[in-house]
Amino acid sequence: MEDEDRPHALASGRKDAAASLSLESLEPYSIDELDARVALLEAEIARVRAHKARSAANRLAAEALFRTSPSSGASPSGATS
């Protein structure tokens, strides 16, 4: 794998496990070991996607909670025009 094809640090500047794994040579692994590694990484991808979905739902719920409802036609002082 070329260096430009490998995962790099996250946008935050932190290196994560995927970036660290990408530095490892795959040459010594057998086909079975590579299949096991792919299965493990696919499971991790599913876990990250599920967490991302939960985080997005939590954020939407928080935004809905703090969003102001449309006014009922009254001015902020309570006077009507």
Side-chain angles (χ1 to χ4, degrees):
M1 177 184 283
E2 299 296 322
D3 282 342
E4 58 271 4
D5 295 335
R6 295 177 185 220
H8 298 286
L10 298 173
S12 65
R14 291 187 336 193
K15 287 191 96 173
D16 66 348
S20 297
L21 280 174
S22 72
L23 299 175
E24 183 180 357
S25 172
L26 300 174
E27 294 300 321
Y29 289 96
S30 70
I31 297 295
D32 288 340
E33 289 170 326
L34 290 170
D35 285 341
R37 185 178 178 124
V38 167
L40 179 66
L41 292 170
E42 287 172 341
E44 177 61 7
I45 289 168
R47 186 179 78 91
V48 169
R49 286 185 173 151
H51 179 76
K52 179 182 170 189
R54 284 191 307 274
S55 294
N58 288 343
R59 181 177 182 162
L60 286 174
E63 287 174 354
L65 180 65
F66 292 105
R67 189 174 302 132
T68 57
S69 60
S71 76
S72 58
S75 67
S77 65
T80 57
S81 20

